[in-house]
């Protein structure tokens, strides 16, 4: 489930599919809005999120959303390819992008989206379903996982374009 803390606010999702903002010090309710996820799905639903300036990015198994941190109004949403089996969100505020990494079928995907509109800047799907998450440093995105040949690798991608800089076994 989602638990993000920023600017004295805790953002969380309750059992009724409500995205809620609470004062981090007092627990006082600030706002709540619905995500409209498919709650009939019997598989565990992962939710991930992060803050970029005045918006909260929330990734679920089927959609990526952007909400205003001030009042919870939805700014945009984007459909993800089917139901993903795992999902994680990394925000890069100084670049104004969110990096969403997820496993769908036998592939591990990374998509970079602009915070303002949700436009996809680039995507990478070279690794198999064994992707293990990513890290960001300076202009680089580092990702580990299993290559198509079955080798464990570390890949370094350019953050602005997603181009491969190097890959090591």
């Amino acid at each position: 489930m989602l638990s993000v803390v920023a600017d004295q606010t805790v953002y969380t999702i309750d059992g009724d599919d409500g995205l809620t903002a609470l004062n981090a010090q007092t627990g006082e309710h600030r706002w709540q809005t619905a995500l409209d996820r498919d709650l009939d799905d019997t598989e565990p639903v992962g939710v991930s999120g992060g803050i970029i300036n005045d918006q909260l990015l929330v990734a679920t198994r089927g959609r990526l959303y952007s909400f205003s941190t001030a009042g919870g109004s939805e700014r945009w949403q984007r459909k993800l390819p089917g139901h993903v089996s795992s999902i994680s969100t990394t925000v890069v505020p100084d670049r104004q992008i969110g990096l969403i990494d997820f496993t769908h079928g036998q592939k591990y995907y990374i998509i970079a989206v602009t915070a303002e509109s949700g436009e996809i800047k680039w995507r990478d799907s070279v690794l198999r379903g064994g992707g293990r998450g990513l890290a960001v440093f300076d202009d680089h995105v580092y990702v580990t996982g299993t290559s198509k040949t079955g080798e464990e690798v570390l890949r370094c991608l350019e953050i602005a374009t997603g181009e491969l800089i190097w890959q090591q076994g």
Side-chain angles (χ1 to χ4, degrees):
M1 288 308 221
L2 176 71
S3 212
V4 175
V5 180
D7 297 325
Q8 298 297 314
T9 304
V10 176
Y11 303 92
T12 189
I13 296 177
D14 62 33
D16 295 326
D17 203 31
L19 174 61
T20 305
L22 304 169
N23 179 298
Q25 297 297 320
T26 66
E28 176 187 349
H29 185 272
R30 291 193 171 162
W31 54 259
Q32 184 173 24
T33 190
L35 279 179
D36 298 324
R37 293 181 300 155
D38 180 8
L39 295 178
D40 294 332
D41 196 342
T42 58
E43 295 179 40
V45 176
V47 178
S48 178
I51 303 287
I52 296 180
N53 295 334
D54 63 347
Q55 65 184 310
L56 170 65
L57 294 183
V58 176
T60 69
R61 288 185 50 206
R63 294 201 167 275
L64 176 62
Y65 301 86
S66 172
F67 294 96
S68 165
T69 57
S73 61
E74 185 179 302
R75 291 181 166 192
W76 53 261
Q77 65 173 277
R78 173 172 292 285
K79 186 167 175 39
L80 293 175
H83 284 294
V84 300
S85 58
S86 67
I87 194 158
S88 178
T89 304
T90 303
V91 294
V92 189
D94 62 329
R95 298 289 182 147
Q96 295 295 297
I97 63 170
L99 298 169
I100 315 304
D101 61 304
F102 57 92
T103 302
H104 179 259
Q106 296 298 314
K107 285 195 173 183
Y108 176 72
Y109 293 85
I110 302 169
I111 58 171
V113 297
T114 61
E116 187 61 32
S117 66
E119 172 191 351
I120 295 177
K121 291 179 61 94
W122 57 265
R123 70 181 75 225
D124 182 77
S125 61
V126 171
L127 297 177
R128 293 163 97 194
R132 313 237 197 317
L134 57 83
V136 175
F137 182 73
D138 282 339
D139 296 335
H140 302 111
V141 176
Y142 300 92
V143 59
T144 60
T146 307
S147 71
K148 291 178 182 175
T149 63
E151 178 185 27
E152 291 291 317
V153 295
L154 172 63
R155 293 171 54 81
C156 176
L157 308 173
E158 211 291 320
I159 197 167
T161 64
E163 287 184 46
L164 179 65
I165 297 171
W166 54 261
Q167 177 172 304
Q168 291 290 329

